[in-house]
Amino acid sequence: MDSVVVLIAAPGSGAITPDVVAVLRDFGGDEARWLKTGDALEFDAPAQLPELKRVLDNYPLDCVVVPKHNRRKRLLIADMDSTMIDQECIDELGVVAGVGDRIKDITMRAMHGALDFQEAILERVALLKGLDVSMIEMLLKERISLASGGKALVATMKAHGAFTALVSGGFSAFTGPVAAALDFDEHHANTLLSENGKLTGQLAMPILGKEAKVESLKRICAARGLASEDVLAVGDGANDIPMLLAAGLGVALHA
């Protein structure tokens, strides 16, 4: 077969039960290979794949069809907020600035594509004017947590010779430490401007948005002699969609 089916359940859930395995056998999946018992397995795609996917819709798991050709990717390009970390940094900044609810509302609408990304980020950053820059370091220490599996993903990609880039519509004050903690090869994000230790409510131009994420993907590919088919891209919001579509394998993570 030209493709494999990968079943993915929530980590630790054990949702891929013997009943699910029995369903696979009915569709010729006798050679299923466990990637993590109870949580992930793969098998050669059967001829009756549409019917199998309809049956699997009744179970709490994702069913992903992946081509066998060029399956091992050579570039990982990942979003940061709610992807490689558990939080949205601008929302956390809003909380300590006393405008958390206003910023979270704008963030939610922007992530769902209801607002233009550039307009939304400028509006939110303006609400942070006057916030002490030291709050960023406090948030990194006390409120920002690395997403489950992220460190293993980066380490696995690099162990197989892949290049890794953290590309965020967020802020470089956060991507720098996060990239270092996860061992990304490079990182790119927007820069919060400050004066006398206070945020000015403005960003350095140009703003890194969805187009810039695609441009980063293309630039890194060109520099390293890679094709878009060699790329694994991971993100969660509307501004990540062009990047996910441009990659050979795009993963919408808790999108």
Side-chain angles (χ1 to χ4, degrees), residues 172-224:
S172 56
F174 291 92
T175 58
V178 170
L182 293 172
D183 199 27
F184 275 91
D185 292 306
E186 66 180 47
H187 69 96
H188 304 277
N190 292 300
T191 300
L192 287 164
L193 298 179
S194 63
E195 289 181 0
N196 301 318
K198 305 285 186 180
L199 297 183
T200 66
Q202 296 177 315
L203 290 175
M205 297 295 170
I207 291 175
L208 192 157
K210 60 184 178 181
E211 294 84 2
K213 291 190 176 191
V214 175
E215 287 306 311
S216 290
L217 184 155
K218 293 179 178 178
R219 173 184 54 79
I220 297 170
C221 282
R224 305 189 69 81

Side-chain angles (χ1 to χ4, degrees), residues 3-238:
S3 302
V4 294
V5 178
V6 185
L7 300 189
I8 307 167
S13 67
I16 305 179
T17 62
D19 286 346
V20 174
V21 176
V23 169
L24 303 185
R25 292 198 183 99
D26 290 340
F27 284 87
D30 293 323
E31 300 300 320
R33 301 170 290 278
W34 284 107
L35 304 175
K36 185 177 182 182
T37 303
D39 291 350
L41 60 72
E42 67 177 19
F43 56 97
D44 288 341
Q48 315 98 312
L49 183 58
E51 293 85 352
L52 172 60
K53 292 182 75 173
R54 281 194 288 272
V55 174
L56 292 175
D57 281 343
N58 298 312
Y59 296 89
L61 48 83
D62 287 335
C63 177
V64 183
V65 182
V66 183
K68 287 183 179 178
H69 174 69
N70 197 19
R71 187 177 175 190
R72 178 168 288 170
K73 303 305 181 187
R74 298 169 62 192
L75 167 62
L76 167 66
I77 184 165
D79 177 43
M80 179 181 69
D81 296 86
S82 298
T83 301
M84 301 307 292
I85 62 175
D86 294 318
Q87 296 77 23
E88 293 286 328
C89 289
I90 195 164
D91 290 356
E92 298 299 323
L93 286 168
V95 170
V96 295
V99 291
D101 289 341
R102 292 170 67 187
I103 285 183
K104 286 179 181 179
D105 177 66
I106 299 169
T107 298
M108 186 61 66
R109 287 185 286 146
M111 293 296 287
H112 284 82
L115 296 176
D116 174 77
F117 174 80
Q118 181 161 323
E119 292 178 4
I121 195 169
L122 289 174
E123 182 179 355
R124 287 174 290 173
V125 169
L127 293 170
L128 302 175
K129 183 177 180 179
L131 182 66
D132 197 303
V133 172
S134 65
M135 291 294 100
I136 294 174
E137 185 175 357
M138 181 277 291
L139 289 174
L140 284 164
K141 288 181 178 179
E142 299 182 12
R143 299 181 64 147
I144 302 302
S145 55
L146 302 178
S148 174
K151 197 171 186 67
L153 170 62
V154 175
T156 301
M157 295 290 292
K158 295 186 72 171
H160 292 287
F163 189 79
T164 58
L166 187 66
V167 181
S168 172
F171 310 120
S172 56
F174 291 92
T175 58
V178 170
L182 293 172
D183 199 27
F184 275 91
D185 292 306
E186 66 180 47
H187 69 96
H188 304 277
N190 292 300
T191 300
L192 287 164
L193 298 179
S194 63
E195 289 181 0
N196 301 318
K198 305 285 186 180
L199 297 183
T200 66
Q202 296 177 315
L203 290 175
M205 297 295 170
I207 291 175
L208 192 157
K210 60 184 178 181
E211 294 84 2
K213 291 190 176 191
V214 175
E215 287 306 311
S216 290
L217 184 155
K218 293 179 178 178
R219 173 184 54 79
I220 297 170
C221 282
R224 305 189 69 81
L226 303 176
S228 60
E229 290 78 13
D230 298 318
V231 182
L232 164 60
V234 185
D236 72 303

